[in-house]
Amino acid sequence: MPEGDTVWRQARNLHRALTGRTVHHTSFRFPDSAEIDLAGETIHGAFARGKHLFIRIGSMSVHSHLKMEGIWHVYGTDGTGKPARWKRRTTEARAVIKANARLDSSGVVRDGSSPVEAVGFNLGMLDVVPTEHEERFVSHLGPDILGADWNLAQAVENIRKRPERMIGPALLDQKNLAGIGTIYRAETLFLAGVDPRSTAAAVPDLPRVVEIASLLLNANRARPLRVTRTVAEPLWVYGRRRQNCYRCTSPIVREELSDQGTDGERFGITPHRLAQENDIARLSYRCPTCQVLFRE
């Protein structure tokens, strides 16, 4: 899954490129939306809510979720005035929104403006619904770290509703708080000095853990390169399996972590391989020395 800052940046780029334009043509390559064409409608803007992305067109909203491989591109015209060539295969396109050049108040094309098209490749979800129905896709989400509704106290309260749960899976649960993926989970817990297998109830300062996550996402949301350490060595632990910890030199541990434990050990009587289908294991990185295992 993408991190919340990735979706935020894509929504920002779409908003800047499309807002105020009139749709020339749309093509939605999902069964339930295939017959919909929003040609002639005005594009009101784009925004992210957690890991969900919305584009408002006329009275409708285009909702998408990137899942594992999705991405939105914006294309203008080349030097000859023809539409720029896509950087991905046409077979990967799931949504195409072609928009006219921007016009001034008298209906004349603004200087420097040209048609654009937004293309959603490999989208995991795509829906076109009346704007008043947007909430059905995001009503289950907790406070959005990068959203106007961010509420640290509420996020902490949500996590504490299941005190026996490990903090690693709890931070990825979008019902608790929206926006954290495996990268920010690993980096947040390292900086907090907390082992991801610690129970939520045992974490000494849970608000501080959530605050670190918020600081990291907000610091990186507008950056082209995600950095939690230095530009030369951008991440503390994520993606650094068996490499020495920058602080203590212990080898970084990588494992799959779910509510049932890890792929390398048992928690209680249920091994990870017998986890329920909806208990999805996700990659976890930690320093075995710098991060303390808190259990109750």
Side-chain angles (χ1 to χ4, degrees), residues 8-29:
W8 186 92
R9 281 192 297 274
Q10 291 193 31
R12 178 199 59 181
N13 293 342
L14 289 167
H15 183 81
R16 290 176 174 176
L18 299 176
T19 301
R21 295 178 184 267
T22 300
V23 174
H24 173 66
H25 175 70
T26 57
S27 175
F28 303 113
R29 302 169 187 180

Side-chain angles (χ1 to χ4, degrees), residues 159 162-176 185 196-200 255-263 265-284 295:
I159 293 172
R162 293 181 59 184
E164 79 292 345
R165 193 178 192 188
M166 286 183 290
I167 190 61
L171 288 177
L172 288 190
D173 190 338
Q174 302 299 293
K175 296 189 295 294
N176 290 333
R185 174 180 69 179
R197 301 167 299 166
S198 302
T199 57
E255 57 205 351
E256 289 190 355
L257 179 66
S258 78
D259 279 315
Q260 299 298 331
T262 72
D263 54 358
E265 55 191 331
R266 292 170 178 261
F267 287 83
I269 62 172
T270 307
H272 163 64
R273 63 178 177 273
L274 296 181
Q276 295 180 359
E277 184 176 351
N278 62 355
D279 178 28
I280 301 173
R282 304 283 293 279
L283 284 180
S284 177
R295 301 300 293 268

Side-chain angles (χ1 to χ4, degrees), residues 25-71:
H25 175 70
T26 57
S27 175
F28 303 113
R29 302 169 187 180
F30 271 62
D32 291 344
S33 307
E35 301 298 320
I36 298 175
D37 187 357
L38 300 177
E41 299 289 349
T42 299
I43 302 173
H44 303 300
F47 67 96
R49 175 73 168 84
K51 299 182 181 182
H52 297 257
L53 195 153
F54 295 90
I55 305 171
R56 289 178 174 170
I57 304 175
S59 62
M60 306 294 283
S61 290
V62 179
H63 162 258
S64 62
H65 196 296
L66 305 184
K67 295 294 185 180
M68 294 299 294
E69 299 180 349
I71 190 170

Side-chain angles (χ1 to χ4, degrees), residues 66-272:
L66 305 184
K67 295 294 185 180
M68 294 299 294
E69 299 180 349
I71 190 170
W72 280 91
H73 286 182
V74 176
Y75 298 96
T77 55
D78 61 20
T80 66
K82 296 180 180 179
R85 186 173 182 177
W86 294 358
K87 295 180 180 179
R88 295 204 176 192
R89 295 189 297 270
T90 57
T91 54
E92 296 180 42
R94 298 294 179 265
V96 181
I97 302 171
K98 297 184 178 182
N100 297 323
R102 287 192 171 96
L103 307 178
D104 62 20
S105 57
S106 60
V108 177
V109 175
R110 293 181 181 177
D111 289 342
S113 182
S114 60
V116 299
E117 56 184 340
V119 186
F121 295 101
N122 296 321
L123 302 175
M125 294 173 59
L126 181 70
D127 304 274
V128 183
V129 299
T131 296
E132 61 264 28
H133 294 168
E134 287 176 350
E135 192 64 19
R136 84 186 206 202
F137 300 107
V138 295
S139 59
H140 65 288
L141 297 179
D144 182 359
I145 289 180
L146 297 179
D149 70 327
W150 173 238
N151 186 320
L152 188 148
Q154 183 62 58
V156 171
E157 181 181 336
N158 291 344
I159 293 172
R160 284 176 171 163
K161 288 177 181 177
R162 293 181 59 184
E164 79 292 345
R165 193 178 192 188
M166 286 183 290
I167 190 61
L171 288 177
L172 288 190
D173 190 338
Q174 302 299 293
K175 296 189 295 294
N176 290 333
L177 68 169
I180 297 179
T182 52
I183 298 175
Y184 282 116
R185 174 180 69 179
E187 299 298 290
T188 293
L189 292 175
F190 175 81
L191 290 171
V194 176
D195 189 302
R197 301 167 299 166
S198 302
T199 57
V203 174
D205 192 348
L206 186 55
R208 175 174 172 267
V209 173
V210 176
E211 183 179 19
I212 290 172
S214 174
L215 290 171
L216 291 179
L217 266 86
N218 277 282
N220 281 283
R221 67 180 183 176
R223 289 176 177 168
L225 173 66
R226 184 176 291 125
V227 177
T228 63
R229 189 172 182 269
T230 68
V231 173
E233 298 168 332
L235 301 176
W236 285 97
V237 291
Y238 188 87
R240 302 191 62 246
R241 180 189 185 189
R242 295 178 181 171
Q243 297 180 50
N244 292 342
C245 173
Y246 291 123
R247 285 182 175 170
C248 73
T249 73
S250 296
I252 299 300
V253 174
R254 185 189 74 177
E255 57 205 351
E256 289 190 355
L257 179 66
S258 78
D259 279 315
Q260 299 298 331
T262 72
D263 54 358
E265 55 191 331
R266 292 170 178 261
F267 287 83
I269 62 172
T270 307
H272 163 64

